[in-house]
Amino acid sequence: MELHDVWFVLIAVLWIGYFFLEGFDFGIGILTKLLARDRAERRVLINTIGPVWDGNEVWLLTAGGATFAAFPEWYATLFSGFYLPLLIILVCLIVRGVAFEYRSKRPEEKWQTNWEHAIFWASLIPALLWGVAFGNIVRGVKLDQHFEYVGNFWDLLNPYALLGGLVTLTLFTFHGAVFASLKTLGDIRARARKFALTLGLGTLVLALGFLLWTQADKGDGDSLIAMVVALVALVGAVFAIKAGREGWSFALSGITIAAAFATLFLTLFPNVMPSSLDPAWSLTVTNASSSPYTLKIMTWLAAIATPLVLLYQSWTYWVFRKRIGTKHIADAAH
């Protein structure tokens, strides 16, 4: 296997790790409006991800940086062609981070309510747009012979990509609801389980349609296996949450996300950005990659840094592993 193939796999793993972790972050942000009944319950939900949300976003920075270094042509075309949706995502992530930190700085109800609205919308919009973006990457976009995007923003809002956006939105929200049931106590835990069960069934229908469409259009044997794993894991997650096995449900919903995005990357390879105008104008792992020497240096650095990142993130989750409930919010306020 060539180094550019290795780095395609590594970048896929980074994106999958990001969506696994940030997926329940987005879901919790959305649930602050859909599940929480009062300010105390919203604080409970926000506190479940309070120690980890910023660490989860390290995966996005690493995935973007690795793409820039390993496949500069892919990075340049992607971030210029998808400039507006990626800018919207970036603004949402900034606003969301500020909202988490600023919400509790003042006691006025209007102040806190406005930041809670910001958390909701800045979680929902990226959860939708990430699916739209990856749907377009897999489907193919209008690239010319110079590997430049010659379409417009509205070309990105096609039925396949929009369905992909709905899948990521519902799947991340389901993942967040399962995480909420795993990390909370009392009535909100019971409602999170009930909400996850209902949402899981809707997510299954959307994911089935999107993955079958993907497989029928560009799939092969490997992507078929990944698709089956994703769908079986999602069914298992729904049954597990119904049985009250929240840990199993969370693990299975995470496998669903990993296998679903693995399906997309498997259908994409060896392209990194197909051209819908002419297959010869597509960006591939070969024509979009950096020099072999650059990839070799990156591989050594990744071998050293990646275990350290995994260790400190694992330690963070272990330290903050306990459940919380409204009684903890009341105790803290007292």
Side-chain angles (χ1 to χ4, degrees):
M1 180 181 286
E2 300 289 338
L3 277 179
H4 50 66
D5 297 332
V6 171
W7 272 98
F8 179 87
V9 174
L10 291 176
I11 288 171
V13 169
L14 290 171
W15 279 111
I16 289 170
Y18 170 66
F19 288 128
F20 177 90
L21 296 171
E22 191 80 331
F24 67 76
D25 273 8
F26 289 143
I28 291 294
I30 294 168
L31 291 173
T32 57
K33 291 294 184 184
L34 301 184
L35 183 65
R37 291 178 174 173
D38 52 35
R39 178 148 292 119
E41 289 190 348
R42 281 191 284 277
R43 284 189 61 188
V44 168
L45 289 176
I46 293 171
N47 286 358
T48 62
I49 60 172
V52 298
W53 70 267
D54 47 356
N56 293 343
E57 292 188 353
V58 169
W59 288 78
L60 173 61
L61 298 176
T62 308
T67 304
F68 171 77
F71 299 101
E73 194 75 51
W74 183 15
Y75 181 93
T77 302
L78 177 64
F79 279 79
S80 59
F82 291 20
Y83 179 81
L84 183 56
L86 291 178
L87 176 63
I88 293 172
I89 290 173
L90 177 61
V91 171
C92 286
L93 294 179
I94 293 171
V95 170
R96 186 166 167 269
V98 172
F100 283 140
E101 300 297 332
Y102 275 43
R103 176 186 167 277
S104 60
K105 298 302 182 184
R106 289 171 55 178
E108 293 89 343
E109 182 175 351
K110 184 176 181 181
W111 171 272
Q112 295 194 1
T113 299
N114 287 338
W115 286 118
E116 287 164 2
H117 288 319
I119 291 171
F120 172 77
W121 287 109
S123 299
L124 186 148
I125 293 172
L128 175 69
L129 290 184
W130 278 128
V132 173
F134 272 84
N136 277 291
I137 292 172
V138 173
R139 173 180 175 268
V141 292
K142 295 179 178 179
L143 299 184
D144 64 13
Q145 64 270 33
H146 303 295
F147 307 127
E148 294 181 0
Y149 180 66
V150 293
N152 56 52
F153 174 76
W154 303 109
D155 291 331
L156 303 178
L157 303 181
N158 54 80
Y160 175 79
L162 290 174
L163 179 58
L166 290 177
V167 170
T168 53
L169 175 61
T170 54
L171 182 56
F172 291 165
T173 308
F174 170 73
H175 195 42
V178 174
F179 183 76
S181 70
L182 182 65
K183 290 288 292 179
T184 57
L185 295 166
D187 183 54
I188 191 171
R189 176 188 178 189
R191 281 187 282 113
R193 285 170 54 184
K194 184 177 179 181
F195 186 88
L197 180 61
T198 303
L199 183 61
L201 298 175
T203 303
L204 180 60
V205 174
L206 292 172
L208 178 63
F210 179 71
L211 293 176
L212 284 176
W213 190 346
T214 304
Q215 181 64 25
D217 189 31
K218 297 189 174 183
D220 57 15
D222 292 335
S223 63
L224 177 61
I225 294 172
M227 182 193 77
V228 172
V229 170
L231 295 175
V232 170
L234 183 54
V235 172
V238 173
F239 276 102
I241 198 67
K242 183 179 181 180
R245 302 298 298 271
E246 294 143 341
W248 278 103
S249 184
F250 181 72
L252 288 168
S253 66
I255 291 172
T256 301
I257 293 174
F261 278 96
T263 302
L264 299 184
F265 279 103
L266 286 168
T267 58
L268 184 60
F269 185 82
N271 294 320
V272 295
M273 208 161 183
S275 173
S276 60
L277 299 179
D278 187 336
W281 299 342
S282 298
L283 283 169
T284 68
V285 293
T286 303
N287 63 24
S289 70
S290 294
S291 68
Y293 181 74
T294 300
L295 296 178
K296 184 177 180 180
I297 296 298
M298 289 175 60
T299 303
W300 280 107
L301 292 175
I304 296 171
T306 303
L308 297 176
V309 173
L310 293 175
L311 281 173
Y312 83 69
Q313 280 211 296
S314 299
W315 175 251
T316 301
Y317 278 94
W318 175 256
V319 170
F320 295 100
R321 66 189 181 277
K322 293 184 178 179
R323 295 178 181 269
I324 61 173
T326 53
K327 66 176 184 179
H328 298 104
I329 301 299
D331 291 344
H334 179 71

